[in-house]
């Protein structure tokens, strides 16, 4: 008789935090089976298509046989130059395309891999809670330990750096921060970034700033961490074309900043991936050179949606801050609910799909995240249906 292999998952995948979103997926399937007209405000994936001129550039590039071969892991020089040009234009930050820009297969890829380059088993990584789940998972895969920094409303959803115990700081190797923030939609000012740099210098901590949402803003242009003097001595910044140009499916991003940190991440990458399809990089060059008027139109669409949803939810009695950036609304759930029971209630009774705050970490409990990824008339309808569902 042939012996079957027993499939034993490694500890690193057996010990993943419970995936709340799987439970929501199940609830969603159930509603779909019932034929519910679902309004999906749950995922951070733009419903607006990629601008046409970028798609055209891709079509042209894909015809070129030069692009059919293996790309270089660090990205084509013209792509890295386009990133540098964009940083100069947008933030007045000068980067060397040679060694201060690294291409990524989406910023998620870089965020997930950076701990492999710098975190030894047992090292501590400072991770915001609530936060993008990949920070903690990348840490876990590298054998590191996440120390969660709660983002509290009373602190403007910035981590209270003074509350991190000294013993933790001494063992900390790396810190993730993310502003404009997903899921809380909060912004950070230069003073906060300066404090981060001071702390990083004092305790020798690598700072990884996730800047995915700097271009989705309404009033003031958000800062890049790289604009702050000293940032390049302590860290790097992850950025992506996904949210800025509605290119989540294309899988292209980049990291910029400290060349030694980028070289470490690059070393991981040369060993496990072979870079981004060059036709995609060509299209990304076109994207990065996009006229700001195209982005203004996208922002205007989100602004209308933001105003509609904020006004509607506030009228229903939900407590929230109108965001200055990102396409998320982070609201407190009404007091008779917790995050999960509220999300389940409005899914079952109103057919509106949202994300429970605790799915992003325990400090997100008591909140719900709405994504502005549906047209205004659907957002109106969502508010109306939620209102009805709350009256019984
Ligand atoms: C969407 C998102 C990313 C990942 O973007 P990709 O470049 O598509 O991988 C990273 N960080 C945050 C906070 C995000 O919301």
């Amino acid at each position: 008789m042939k012996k079957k292999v027993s499939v034993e998952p490694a500890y690193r995948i057996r010990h993943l935090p419970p995936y709340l979103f799987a439970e929501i997926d199940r609830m969603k399937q159930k509603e779909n089976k019932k034929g519910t007209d679902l309004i999906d405000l749950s995922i951070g994936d733009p419903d607006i298509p990629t601008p046409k001129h970028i798609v055209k550039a891709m079509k042209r590039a894909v015809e070129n046989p030069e692009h059919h071969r293996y790309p270089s892991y660090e990205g084509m020089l013209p792509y890295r130059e386009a990133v540098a040009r964009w940083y100069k234009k947008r933030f007045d930050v000068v980067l060397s395309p040679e060694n201060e820009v690294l291409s990524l297969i989406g910023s998620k890829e870089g965020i997930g891999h950076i701990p492999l380059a710098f975190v030894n088993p047992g090292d501590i990584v400072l991770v915001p809670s609530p936060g993008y789940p990949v920070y903690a998972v990348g840490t876990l895969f590298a054998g590191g330990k996440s120390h969660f920094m709660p983002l509290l409303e009373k602190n403007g959803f910035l981590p209270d750096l003074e509350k991190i115990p000294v013993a933790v700081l001494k063992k900390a190797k790396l810190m993730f921060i993310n502003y404009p923030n997903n899921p809380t939609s909060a912004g950070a000012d230069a003073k906060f970034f300066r404090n981060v740099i001071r702390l990083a210098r004092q305790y020798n901590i690598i700072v990884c700033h996730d800047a995915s949402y700097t271009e989705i803003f309404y009033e003031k242009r958000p800062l890049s961490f790289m604009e702050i003097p000293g940032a390049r001595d302590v860290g790097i910044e992850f950025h992506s074309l996904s949210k800025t140009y509605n290119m989540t499916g294309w899988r292209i991003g980049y990291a910029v900043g400290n060349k030694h940190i980028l070289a470490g991440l690059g070393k991981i990458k040369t060993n496990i991936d072979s870079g981004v399809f060059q036709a995609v990089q060509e299209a990304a060059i076109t994207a990065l050179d996009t006229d700001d008027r195209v982005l203004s139109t996208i922002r205007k669409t989100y602004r209308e949606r933001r105003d509609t949803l904020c006004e509607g939810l506030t009228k229903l009695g939900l407590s929230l801050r109108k965001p200055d950036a990102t396409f998320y609304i982070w609201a407190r759930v009404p007091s008779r609910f917790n995050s999960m029971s509220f999300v389940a209630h409005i899914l079952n009774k109103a057919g509106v799909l949202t994300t429970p705050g605790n799915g992003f970490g325990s400090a997100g409990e008591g909140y719900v995240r709405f994504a502005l990824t549906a047209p205004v008339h659907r957002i109106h309808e969502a508010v109306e249906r939620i209102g009805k569902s709350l009256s019984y």
Side-chain angles (χ1 to χ4, degrees):
M1 210 170 84
K2 275 194 203 140
K3 188 176 178 299
K4 269 202 193 133
V5 169
S6 81
V7 182
E8 277 286 307
Y11 288 124
R12 73 177 65 81
I13 70 163
R14 247 192 281 169
H15 291 259
L16 280 169
Y19 197 59
L20 264 189
F21 303 123
E23 170 63 21
I24 298 187
D25 239 20
R26 261 195 301 279
M27 294 196 292
K28 182 181 168 180
Q29 302 301 339
K30 220 172 88 190
E31 291 301 318
N32 274 335
K33 239 182 236 151
K34 278 198 275 176
T36 311
D37 170 32
L38 274 185
I39 303 176
D40 191 347
L41 305 178
S42 67
I43 32 175
D45 190 357
D47 57 314
I48 308 168
T50 307
K52 284 204 173 65
H53 70 288
I54 302 171
V55 176
K56 266 197 203 136
M58 178 70 187
K59 283 185 182 165
R60 271 197 310 274
V62 88
E63 299 274 1
N64 182 350
E66 258 179 53
H67 297 328
H68 299 170
R69 314 192 61 194
Y70 280 121
S72 62
Y73 83 90
E74 77 274 23
M76 296 157 67
L77 187 59
Y79 172 64
R80 286 177 287 137
E81 284 168 346
V83 170
R85 220 163 34 243
W86 188 83
Y87 257 76
K88 173 72 180 119
K89 181 177 73 175
R90 171 65 176 85
F91 299 117
D92 201 22
V93 167
V94 176
L95 298 167
S96 157
E98 306 283 343
N99 54 20
E100 292 180 325
V101 181
L102 178 67
S103 79
L104 298 172
I105 311 170
S107 59
K108 180 180 187 178
E109 180 259 302
I111 293 166
H113 284 146
I114 188 98
L116 288 180
F118 295 104
V119 175
N120 287 313
D123 285 350
I124 287 180
V125 176
L126 301 167
V127 174
S129 168
Y132 186 57
V134 188
Y135 310 139
V137 171
T139 299
L140 178 77
F141 285 175
K145 284 198 206 121
S146 292
H147 174 87
F148 291 101
M149 308 180 287
L151 307 185
L152 306 179
E153 193 162 348
K154 63 172 180 170
N155 300 325
F157 298 110
L158 296 169
D160 187 345
L161 303 176
E162 317 224 313
K163 284 259 167 72
I164 307 169
V166 169
V168 168
L169 290 168
K170 282 185 175 157
K171 284 178 72 181
K173 193 70 198 286
L174 204 139
M175 172 192 236
F176 285 107
I177 48 174
N178 163 223
Y179 293 96
N181 184 256
N182 174 13
T184 70
S185 74
D189 55 8
K191 183 170 161 236
F192 170 73
F193 285 140
R194 280 197 295 270
N195 288 337
V196 167
I197 293 169
R198 194 174 318 127
L199 192 79
R201 282 218 167 99
Q202 188 177 352
Y203 292 99
N204 215 29
I205 298 169
I206 292 171
V207 178
C208 295
H209 182 237
D210 179 350
S212 305
Y213 293 95
T214 60
E215 304 320 298
I216 314 289
F217 62 82
Y218 305 104
E219 278 82 35
K220 244 176 48 202
R221 286 178 178 266
L223 291 171
S224 157
F225 181 58
M226 289 299 137
E227 286 179 73
I228 313 301
R232 213 174 310 203
D233 300 331
V234 302
I236 61 172
E237 180 157 272
F238 289 100
H239 218 304
S240 161
L241 284 83
S242 290
K243 314 292 162 61
T244 308
Y245 304 102
N246 304 321
M247 290 174 72
T248 49
W250 297 59
R251 310 315 302 137
I252 182 154
Y254 50 90
V256 302
N258 185 284
K259 62 179 179 193
H260 306 291
I261 300 173
L262 294 180
L265 177 56
K267 205 164 249 177
I268 298 292
K269 287 176 60 62
T270 27
N271 282 283
I272 54 180
D273 75 56
S274 301
V276 176
F277 181 25
Q278 287 198 3
V280 171
Q281 295 188 55
E282 286 283 359
I285 294 170
T286 301
L288 288 163
D289 290 332
T290 296
D291 191 300
D292 203 50
R293 276 175 301 188
V294 177
L295 299 189
S296 295
T297 310
I298 297 173
R299 287 177 196 125
K300 199 167 147 251
T301 302
Y302 286 133
R303 180 184 290 117
E304 262 179 60
R305 295 174 178 185
R306 176 199 66 163
D307 293 346
T308 305
L309 189 58
C310 286
E311 204 174 298
L313 293 177
T314 306
K315 272 195 191 137
L316 297 183
L318 270 70
S319 154
L320 57 91
R321 264 175 53 267
K322 194 160 150 172
D324 292 330
T326 77
F327 45 57
Y328 302 115
I329 307 295
W330 185 244
R332 271 184 184 281
V333 302
S335 55
R336 63 186 158 110
F337 294 101
N338 60 29
S339 291
M340 200 57 192
S341 68
F342 181 75
V343 166
H345 180 87
I346 64 172
L347 175 58
N348 297 327
K349 301 281 195 285
V352 177
L353 195 57
T354 54
T355 310
N358 61 327
F360 300 99
S362 59
E365 178 52 54
Y367 292 88
V368 57
R369 191 193 74 175
F370 294 83
L372 299 170
T373 46
V376 167
H377 74 274
R378 294 293 276 170
I379 291 179
H380 270 301
E381 186 173 342
V383 170
E384 205 177 289
R385 289 199 213 161
I386 295 169
K388 274 194 200 133
S389 83
L390 292 178
S391 60
Y392 41 79

